[in-house]
Amino acid sequence: MQAAFFKLADIIPYNEAEDYMKKAVVKSYGKKGEKVVNMNFAAIDNAISGLVEIKYPESWATTTEGAAPVKPADNEYFKNIVFPILAQEGDSLPVSAFTPDGTVPTGTTQYEKRGVAVKIPQWIAENCIQCNQCSYVCPHATIRPFALDEKEAAEAPASTKLVQMKGKGCENYKFTVAVSPLDCMGCGLCVNVCPAKVKALKMVPQESQSEQQKAFDYAVANVTKKDIPFADTTVKGSQFNQPLLEFSGSCAGCAETSYARLITQLFGERMYISNATGCSSIWGGSAPSTPYTVNRDSGRGPAWANSLFEDNAEHGLGIYLGQKAIRDKLIGYIKQLNYEDADKKAAVEEFLATVDDGKKNGAAAKALIAVLEANADGELEKKILAEKDYLAKKSVWIFGGDGWAYDIGFGGLDHVIASGEDVNIMVFDTEVYSNTGGQASKASQMGQVAQFAAAGKAIGKKDLAQIAMSYGYVYVAQIAMGADMNQTIKTLVEAEAYPGPSIVIGYAPCEMHGVKGGMGNCQSEMKRAVEAGYWQMFRYNPSLKAEGKNPLIIDSKAPTGSYIDFIKSETRYSRLIQAFPERAEELFTKAEEQAKAKYDRLVKLGQIYE
Amino acid sequence: MQAAFFKLADIIPYNEAEDYMKKAVVKSYGKKGEKVVNMNFAAIDNAISGLVEIKYPESWATTTEGAAPVKPADNEYFKNIVFPILAQEGDSLPVSAFTPDGTVPTGTTQYEKRGVAVKIPQWIAENCIQCNQCSYVCPHATIRPFALDEKEAAEAPASTKLVQMKGKGCENYKFTVAVSPLDCMGCGLCVNVCPAKVKALKMVPQESQSEQQKAFDYAVANVTKKDIPFADTTVKGSQFNQPLLEFSGSCAGCAETSYARLITQLFGERMYISNATGCSSIWGGSAPSTPYTVNRDSGRGPAWANSLFEDNAEHGLGIYLGQKAIRDKLIGYIKQLNYEDADKKAAVEEFLATVDDGKKNGAAAKALIAVLEANADGELEKKILAEKDYLAKKSVWIFGGDGWAYDIGFGGLDHVIASGEDVNIMVFDTEVYSNTGGQASKASQMGQVAQFAAAGKAIGKKDLAQIAMSYGYVYVAQIAMGADMNQTIKTLVEAEAYPGPSIVIGYAPCEMHGVKGGMGNCQSEMKRAVEAGYWQMFRYNPSLKAEGKNPLIIDSKAPTGSYIDFIKSETRYSRLIQAFPERAEELFTKAEEQAKAKYDRLVKLGQIYE
């Protein structure tokens, strides 16, 4: 590249540039021997001899039209703000175009339709076992299962592929898996995780699937949620819930968004998110569009905010305490309601009985609001209705990466879990500062190559989970979606239900890791990591202690794979072998020993609690 | 007080004021019954009837002279800066009077001679068993043992009490315990800890002991350190080392300064201290004088600095890394020295052989410097001598209270221990923000009353030691001087010698605790705390792991005393019983259970490592 640059840019005579470059080669590689030096010389020479001029059409030089982004007709925010920015006319927007408090509507990535994937999945209906794992792992919510009733099936576009839905109680429904060709990033995770005997998905050229956009858009806009016997706390059932995080700008195959998307399917309609700076604040809120969205039926979805890198946990705690103060006041009013009518009384009692139950309290609040609105002249009713959005129990989440949780935001994270308050923390653990180019964090592992650890990190990974467990009243877990999909969803549900602080640390392979075969193997890489004893899965649930049970449940089996073989398959480790083979040997061996000791220690900790 | 104020200040007619105060009494105490209300009424009435006017001498109103502070003749800094400030003429000092970099000389509290104690200890030589425990616990270094040779004994002032020194190898020495009447704070700790059958110390009026100042000053200025068979890593032996923290402004009976003073006796001559904001930064560096001082013979003592509350650990790490970079460079030069002379060669080899041994490297550096100075024309010698102060291995300490270590500075503390670097952290754990009036910290215990925890802290104490142990390569210990003087000194020596990060958490009873009988019982209160299972003593030494031994040594026995009886004896807990008796019962019971569980867990953790 450097040779080509100097040849074309003509800053100094090329002969001189060549001379400088070749001297630099000798200086850098001289001690590696003549062969290496000659290979580098050849690279310089071949760059020049290989230069090919590509002529662009002459019309390009004089055109006045850019590529037009998709232009939706029916969204004012998109029309007035997003479209001008996407058209690179953001400078023309007056300050008055923006809201004074910095809030923006959610659900706007749906209008972007980037269409960046070369290949996207095609659903082969006849092979499908209807497990929904493709949707469960999809980082971008671009592949989704639907159950259609007779009418919906009849009205569906011709490109919609329908099969009989499997399972007792599903006899009246057709099943489809819809793919959004213009939103899919083409990572191929869905194909790779498909457990059907003969894969029910295959990657095909995007342009061959353009008719599928209609099928996807129809299903998303029209197909209702059905009363089917798959609990939405299961892998399969959860995927019939509308994802409230969609079409974000995260990398293809990103593990972080797979976790976050799932969380929105479980709790999104009553969710606040305080998001630390990092990848998750970029894919979570890249101006001008927002991937968090609202449920089509309820109109509710996550409220999302990003404060500073160093205060995200505290910011989330503040959100929690703020809404709690208002809600506690309203609960006080509700206790003063004195209805004689049995139905009204029942609505009040149901609300108060479920006040700490996030799952049930939403419906109870809805019913209570209906009662209050029918008595809207009452003083108490007026006061409660004025803040009715605070009535239903909320689910407060604090999102961030390892750079935040282990390092820069750790002081605050510790303070927040120590507080005992009912907040949920989700750590996307990529073991590196992914968003800023890959600096080592305290979550980086021994021997891992990263910025500030060019010779491989010499000390082990900080044990954030063990630190959190030291409080005894914090729900603490480590998960790895690709290693155990059931454990992941079970953990998230338990963490959210626990009436105190919860922290879930999710292993998140990342573009930065150099996973063999690319990020389409992200989920299987998690499985390999657990089998090799590189990552442990477990749940520490203080509620079990109160029931006289062992609070620590270890969900990982003892390692069966080779730790060193595993890490050698990722370039973040293998590059150390190239650069410093002896040090690599030493650090990798030590890292393997420590990983074994860590698992043993976990097992013994489990015995302590018994 | 309020009644007296309104009576004398005449801001509003007293009758009106009385009316307001009595209404306030009814409002505050009405629900506690007529008896309580009447007691409060009586307090107001008695305040007025009890007022007595005290006439001061008329001359006071016209005097132009203030009380003159002690005026030393021989210290420029004291004369030019300290004296004008103490004389309340600090405003007259020009900016140019101060150093541009903010450094000030140490060892200046010795000139203050506050003389605030009403009673001070008198040493009864014939009862003394020469254990030095009085000196070991003294917060202010105002009671010190000395071993005098024949000449020193002969030249000592007449008021010096001398006895034959006990112990093999001490036949030629006289022994004395010197007390500084004008520096002693009168806490009485020395008398209380004296283990002699008949106490060898008793509290007597200060003015009766004025002749003892001469004896103290003579010994401090003239008596040399003797080669006696008491290792300075023992309770007794350590006290023959000059304390390099003396006469600070800490409270009478302060536990923090007892720890800090001892640390300076062990490592003070090669010590850097980075001090967090809090009590220890106040008693450690109250302008205009400094209690840290230098050894009389070597001229060396702690270099002390105070950065921000939130960055003290990082600041200390920076100090460590800065001196290490310079020293590593010098070590590189030393390795290039190529002396043929056997003695010179031996000096170089001894230095390099002891380069990581703080105890031995000082003497080796001194010998090496002598060799270098004899060859001062050499290029390498010049370079090394230019920075010779960096040659000897230093001891870097990071001091702070629990408000810093558990709360505000915790993020940085965690980062520093995670770094693996060779720094030593001393936490003075008073379980409350002592310096700012007693706010609860994460170190405060369940049921403890503090600011922001007026109804007793509802959650337990953060387990900082367990968090630090999670790294596996950090030396971690909890100590309580009054519970085990030997364990305290053994721990400090081990922590300093450990070639990686060390954190020692010292239990520090505080004025704020309301200890029964006052802070003269500070040391025995630590003993009671350990016996009641309120505080645990242990050491986690990663070096033992490398030797195949169990790194966790539990120095506390299983509790024998009553946890609840112990906490009830301190007003920080007993006031909860008065304010909220039921809540006190509940929290105290839970706290006791948790303390037992904590000890059990510690024992089991010990078994894990075996």
Side-chain angles (χ1 to χ4, degrees):
Chain A
M1 288 300 293
Q2 204 176 29
F5 170 80
F6 279 110
K7 182 74 181 173
L8 298 175
D10 209 23
I11 300 169
I12 54 173
Y14 180 71
N15 285 349
E16 278 181 40
E18 186 183 342
D19 196 42
Y20 286 128
M21 286 186 288
K22 290 194 171 170
K23 275 182 183 157
V25 164
V26 173
K27 195 178 168 194
S28 297
Y29 303 110
K31 62 181 173 185
K32 294 202 171 178
E34 206 182 330
K35 197 179 158 195
V36 175
V37 169
N38 286 338
M39 280 166 66
N40 276 276
F41 282 180
I44 292 169
D45 297 337
N46 292 340
I48 303 309
S49 60
L51 278 178
V52 177
E53 187 178 1
I54 296 172
K55 302 229 180 232
Y56 51 81
E58 274 182 32
S59 61
W60 286 14
T62 52
T63 186
T64 54
E65 277 180 29
V70 176
K71 205 169 178 177
D74 58 350
N75 182 302
E76 290 300 306
Y77 176 73
F78 195 91
K79 268 198 290 189
N80 300 335
I81 307 278
V82 180
F83 181 73
I85 293 174
L86 293 184
Q88 307 212 2
E89 288 165 12
D91 283 352
S92 68
L93 291 173
V95 170
S96 60
F98 300 89
T99 51
D101 63 0
T103 55
V104 298
T106 57
T108 45
T109 50
Q110 62 180 302
Y111 303 112
E112 290 188 334
K113 296 287 174 276
R114 286 165 290 195
V116 294
V118 176
K119 287 189 167 186
I120 66 163
Q122 179 184 37
W123 182 49
I124 306 156
E126 59 274 25
N127 295 345
C128 185
I129 58 170
Q130 303 183 13
C131 68
N132 293 356
Q133 290 187 23
C134 50
S135 167
Y136 190 81
V137 303
C138 178
H140 295 86
T142 59
I143 183 164
R144 307 184 189 180
F146 293 93
L148 296 82
D149 62 23
E150 207 172 328
K151 185 165 174 288
E152 289 163 346
E155 292 174 0
S159 60
T160 305
K161 290 177 259 181
L162 293 166
V163 292
Q164 174 57 44
M165 190 163 179
K166 296 177 200 270
K168 213 178 161 181
C170 304
E171 294 77 5
N172 298 329
Y173 301 118
K174 300 286 177 207
F175 177 83
T176 193
V177 170
V179 173
S180 176
L182 291 177
D183 293 308
C184 176
M185 300 285 285
C187 66
L189 270 180
C190 51
V191 178
N192 291 338
V193 303
C194 176
K197 246 182 212 166
V198 184
K199 294 263 181 199
L201 291 160
K202 69 170 175 189
M203 297 302 280
V204 298
Q206 191 216 114
E207 55 273 19
S208 71
Q209 299 297 301
S210 56
E211 283 302 303
Q212 289 304 315
Q213 194 68 50
K214 288 177 199 160
F216 183 86
D217 292 347
Y218 167 80
V220 165
N222 299 287
V223 178
T224 58
K225 187 162 185 216
K226 304 301 183 305
D227 186 18
I228 42 179
F230 307 116
D232 55 10
T233 52
T234 61
V235 174
K236 178 168 180 170
S238 64
Q239 295 315 300
F240 293 111
N241 282 1
Q242 183 186 335
L244 301 179
L245 169 66
E246 60 182 10
F247 323 138
S248 79
S250 75
C251 301
C254 175
E256 298 191 355
T257 37
S258 302
Y259 289 122
R261 191 217 69 246
L262 175 60
I263 293 171
T264 70
Q265 287 174 298
L266 296 169
F267 321 112
E269 287 179 73
R270 55 188 175 90
M271 193 172 180
Y272 294 92
I273 303 171
S274 176
N275 209 120
T277 301
C279 277
S280 56
S281 72
I282 304 303
W283 55 249
S286 273
S289 59
T290 304
Y292 288 98
T293 190
V294 297
N295 182 278
R296 196 191 65 198
D297 301 320
S298 69
R300 298 193 182 278
W304 184 93
N306 167 227
S307 182
L308 303 177
F309 205 170
E310 63 271 29
D311 75 1
N312 182 52
E314 301 91 311
H315 180 250
L317 180 65
I319 290 173
Y320 170 79
L321 292 173
Q323 62 83 32
K324 183 175 184 284
I326 297 170
R327 186 168 184 252
D328 285 348
K329 179 187 68 183
L330 299 182
I331 291 170
Y333 295 151
I334 292 167
K335 285 180 179 165
Q336 294 173 47
L337 289 169
N338 205 1
Y339 294 127
E340 290 191 1
D341 176 88
D343 286 350
K344 291 180 185 174
K345 211 168 170 168
V348 169
E349 280 168 4
E350 174 66 8
F351 178 84
L352 291 174
T354 61
V355 80
D356 292 325
D357 184 331
K359 212 164 159 51
K360 292 183 183 159
N361 192 244
K366 203 173 163 185
L368 177 61
I369 289 169
V371 169
L372 296 169
E373 282 172 344
N375 297 270
D377 288 342
E379 282 308 308
L380 285 169
E381 285 83 350
K382 271 186 211 164
K383 285 185 194 167
I384 301 167
L385 288 170
E387 297 181 299
K388 65 182 177 185
D389 277 356
Y390 290 94
L391 273 182
K393 181 160 195 319
K394 299 301 184 293
S395 186
V396 177
W397 286 78
I398 298 170
F399 279 6
D402 50 285
W404 162 72
Y406 286 73
D407 284 4
I408 293 175
F410 174 64
L413 184 147
D414 170 76
H415 201 71
V416 168
I417 60 173
S419 74
E421 299 291 348
D422 186 12
V423 296
N424 310 289
I425 298 170
M426 178 70 209
V427 181
F428 306 111
D429 192 349
T430 64
E431 307 192 322
V432 74
Y433 285 78
S434 301
N435 186 50
T436 44
Q439 294 79 16
S441 80
K442 288 204 283 294
S444 302
Q445 301 241 27
M446 183 176 285
Q448 181 180 336
V449 176
Q451 287 184 41
F452 304 141
K457 197 177 167 216
I459 47 179
K461 184 185 178 91
K462 170 174 169 175
D463 196 337
L464 181 58
Q466 202 186 317
I467 289 172
M469 281 193 275
S470 76
Y471 284 99
Y473 53 80
V474 180
Y475 182 97
V476 185
Q478 284 196 179
I479 61 177
M481 183 185 273
D484 190 338
M485 292 187 193
N486 287 311
Q487 193 257 0
T488 289
I489 193 165
K490 192 193 287 181
T491 300
L492 292 170
V493 170
E494 280 180 4
E496 204 278 335
Y498 178 67
S502 305
I503 177 166
V504 178
I505 306 169
Y507 184 49
C510 166
E511 208 41 77
M512 292 275 161
H513 294 185
V515 170
K516 212 172 203 168
M519 286 300 283
N521 291 330
C522 169
Q523 296 286 333
S524 54
E525 193 73 356
M526 295 193 219
K527 192 158 184 267
R528 294 182 63 223
V530 171
E531 286 170 355
Y534 182 86
W535 184 262
Q536 296 80 30
M537 296 184 297
F538 53 86
R539 290 166 288 141
Y540 176 88
N541 188 348
S543 298
L544 294 176
K545 205 162 46 175
E547 296 167 20
K549 294 178 190 161
N550 185 342
L552 181 61
I553 295 169
I554 301 163
D555 295 313
S556 301
K557 294 200 185 94
T560 54
S562 157
Y563 183 96
I564 291 181
D565 286 353
F566 169 72
I567 63 173
K568 278 183 176 170
S569 74
E570 298 190 349
T571 60
R572 60 177 167 153
Y573 291 101
S574 62
R575 69 178 65 157
L576 189 64
I577 304 173
Q578 286 150 18
F580 306 102
E582 281 173 24
R583 184 174 159 93
E585 170 85 20
E586 183 198 331
L587 288 182
F588 291 0
T589 307
K590 206 168 152 194
E592 184 176 39
E593 281 164 16
Q594 289 194 354
K596 278 184 187 153
K598 192 171 174 178
Y599 185 82
D600 289 348
R601 183 134 198 274
L602 201 57
V603 171
K604 284 179 182 166
L605 274 177
Q607 290 160 354
I608 275 194
Y609 295 122
E610 264 171 21
Chain B
M1 287 299 293
Q2 205 176 30
F5 170 80
F6 279 110
K7 181 72 182 172
L8 298 174
D10 209 22
I11 300 170
I12 55 172
Y14 181 70
N15 286 347
E16 279 181 40
E18 186 184 343
D19 196 40
Y20 286 128
M21 286 188 287
K22 289 192 173 171
K23 276 181 184 156
V25 164
V26 174
K27 196 177 168 193
S28 299
Y29 303 110
K31 61 182 175 187
K32 295 202 171 178
E34 206 183 332
K35 197 179 157 194
V36 174
V37 168
N38 286 339
M39 279 166 65
N40 276 275
F41 282 179
I44 293 170
D45 297 338
N46 291 340
I48 302 309
S49 60
L51 277 178
V52 176
E53 186 179 2
I54 295 171
K55 302 228 178 235
Y56 51 81
E58 274 182 30
S59 61
W60 286 15
T62 51
T63 186
T64 54
E65 278 179 28
V70 176
K71 204 169 178 176
D74 59 349
N75 182 301
E76 290 299 305
Y77 176 73
F78 196 89
K79 268 198 289 188
N80 298 335
I81 307 279
V82 181
F83 180 74
I85 294 174
L86 293 185
Q88 308 213 2
E89 288 165 11
D91 284 352
S92 69
L93 291 174
V95 170
S96 61
F98 300 89
T99 51
D101 63 0
T103 56
V104 297
T106 57
T108 45
T109 48
Q110 62 180 299
Y111 302 113
E112 290 189 334
K113 297 284 174 279
R114 286 165 290 195
V116 296
V118 175
K119 286 189 167 185
I120 66 162
Q122 179 184 36
W123 182 48
I124 306 157
E126 60 274 23
N127 294 345
C128 183
I129 59 170
Q130 303 184 12
C131 67
N132 292 356
Q133 290 187 20
C134 51
S135 167
Y136 191 82
V137 302
C138 177
H140 294 86
T142 58
I143 183 166
R144 306 185 190 180
F146 293 93
L148 297 82
D149 61 23
E150 206 172 328
K151 186 165 172 286
E152 289 165 345
E155 291 174 0
S159 59
T160 305
K161 289 177 259 181
L162 294 167
V163 292
Q164 175 56 43
M165 190 164 180
K166 296 179 203 268
K168 213 177 160 185
C170 303
E171 292 79 4
N172 297 328
Y173 300 118
K174 299 287 177 205
F175 177 82
T176 193
V177 170
V179 174
S180 176
L182 292 176
D183 292 308
C184 175
M185 300 286 284
C187 66
L189 270 181
C190 51
V191 178
N192 291 338
V193 303
C194 176
K197 244 183 215 168
V198 183
K199 294 263 182 197
L201 291 159
K202 69 170 176 187
M203 297 301 279
V204 298
Q206 192 217 115
E207 56 272 19
S208 72
Q209 300 297 301
S210 56
E211 283 301 303
Q212 289 303 316
Q213 194 67 52
K214 286 177 201 161
F216 183 86
D217 292 347
Y218 167 79
V220 165
N222 298 286
V223 178
T224 59
K225 188 162 185 219
K226 303 302 184 304
D227 186 18
I228 41 178
F230 306 116
D232 55 10
T233 53
T234 61
V235 173
K236 178 167 180 170
S238 65
Q239 295 315 300
F240 292 110
N241 282 1
Q242 183 186 335
L244 301 179
L245 170 66
E246 60 182 10
F247 323 139
S248 80
S250 75
C251 300
C254 174
E256 299 192 353
T257 37
S258 302
Y259 289 122
R261 191 216 69 245
L262 175 60
I263 294 171
T264 69
Q265 288 174 298
L266 296 169
F267 321 112
E269 287 179 72
R270 55 189 176 90
M271 193 174 180
Y272 293 92
I273 303 171
S274 176
N275 209 121
T277 301
C279 278
S280 56
S281 72
I282 304 303
W283 55 249
S286 274
S289 58
T290 304
Y292 289 98
T293 190
V294 297
N295 181 277
R296 196 190 67 198
D297 300 321
S298 70
R300 298 194 182 279
W304 184 94
N306 167 229
S307 181
L308 302 176
F309 206 170
E310 63 271 29
D311 75 0
N312 182 52
E314 302 92 311
H315 180 251
L317 181 65
I319 290 175
Y320 171 79
L321 293 173
Q323 63 83 32
K324 183 174 183 289
I326 296 170
R327 187 168 183 251
D328 285 349
K329 179 186 68 182
L330 300 183
I331 292 170
Y333 296 150
I334 292 167
K335 284 179 178 165
Q336 294 173 47
L337 289 170
N338 204 2
Y339 294 127
E340 292 190 359
D341 175 87
D343 286 351
K344 291 179 186 175
K345 210 169 171 170
V348 170
E349 280 168 5
E350 174 65 9
F351 178 84
L352 291 174
T354 61
V355 80
D356 292 325
D357 184 331
K359 210 163 160 52
K360 291 183 184 159
N361 193 242
K366 202 172 164 187
L368 178 62
I369 288 169
V371 168
L372 297 169
E373 283 173 344
N375 297 268
D377 287 343
E379 280 309 307
L380 286 169
E381 284 83 350
K382 272 186 211 164
K383 285 186 195 167
I384 301 167
L385 287 170
E387 297 181 298
K388 65 182 177 184
D389 277 356
Y390 290 94
L391 273 183
K393 181 162 195 316
K394 299 301 185 293
S395 185
V396 177
W397 286 78
I398 298 170
F399 279 5
D402 50 285
W404 162 71
Y406 286 72
D407 284 5
I408 294 176
F410 174 64
L413 185 148
D414 170 76
H415 201 70
V416 168
I417 60 173
S419 74
E421 299 291 349
D422 186 12
V423 296
N424 309 288
I425 298 171
M426 178 70 211
V427 181
F428 306 111
D429 192 348
T430 64
E431 306 193 323
V432 73
Y433 285 79
S434 301
N435 186 49
T436 45
Q439 294 79 15
S441 80
K442 289 206 283 295
S444 303
Q445 302 242 26
M446 182 175 285
Q448 181 179 337
V449 176
Q451 288 184 40
F452 304 142
K457 198 176 165 213
I459 46 179
K461 184 185 178 91
K462 169 173 170 176
D463 197 338
L464 182 58
Q466 203 186 316
I467 290 172
M469 281 193 276
S470 76
Y471 284 99
Y473 53 80
V474 180
Y475 182 97
V476 186
Q478 284 195 179
I479 62 176
M481 182 185 273
D484 190 337
M485 293 187 194
N486 286 311
Q487 193 258 359
T488 289
I489 193 165
K490 193 193 286 182
T491 301
L492 292 170
V493 170
E494 280 180 4
E496 204 277 338
Y498 178 67
S502 305
I503 178 167
V504 177
I505 306 169
Y507 184 50
C510 167
E511 208 41 76
M512 292 274 160
H513 294 186
V515 170
K516 211 173 205 169
M519 287 300 282
N521 291 330
C522 169
Q523 297 285 334
S524 53
E525 193 73 357
M526 296 194 217
K527 192 160 184 266
R528 293 182 64 224
V530 170
E531 286 169 355
Y534 182 86
W535 184 263
Q536 296 80 31
M537 296 184 297
F538 53 87
R539 289 166 288 141
Y540 177 88
N541 187 349
S543 297
L544 295 176
K545 206 163 45 177
E547 298 167 19
K549 295 179 190 159
N550 185 341
L552 181 59
I553 295 169
I554 301 163
D555 295 312
S556 300
K557 294 199 185 95
T560 53
S562 157
Y563 183 96
I564 291 181
D565 286 352
F566 169 72
I567 63 174
K568 278 183 176 170
S569 74
E570 297 190 351
T571 60
R572 59 176 169 156
Y573 291 100
S574 62
R575 69 179 63 158
L576 189 65
I577 304 174
Q578 286 150 19
F580 305 103
E582 282 173 25
R583 184 173 160 93
E585 170 86 21
E586 185 198 329
L587 288 181
F588 291 0
T589 306
K590 206 167 152 195
E592 184 175 39
E593 281 164 15
Q594 289 194 355
K596 278 184 186 153
K598 192 171 174 179
Y599 186 82
D600 290 348
R601 183 136 199 273
L602 201 57
V603 171
K604 284 178 181 166
L605 274 176
Q607 290 160 355
I608 276 193
Y609 295 121
E610 265 170 22

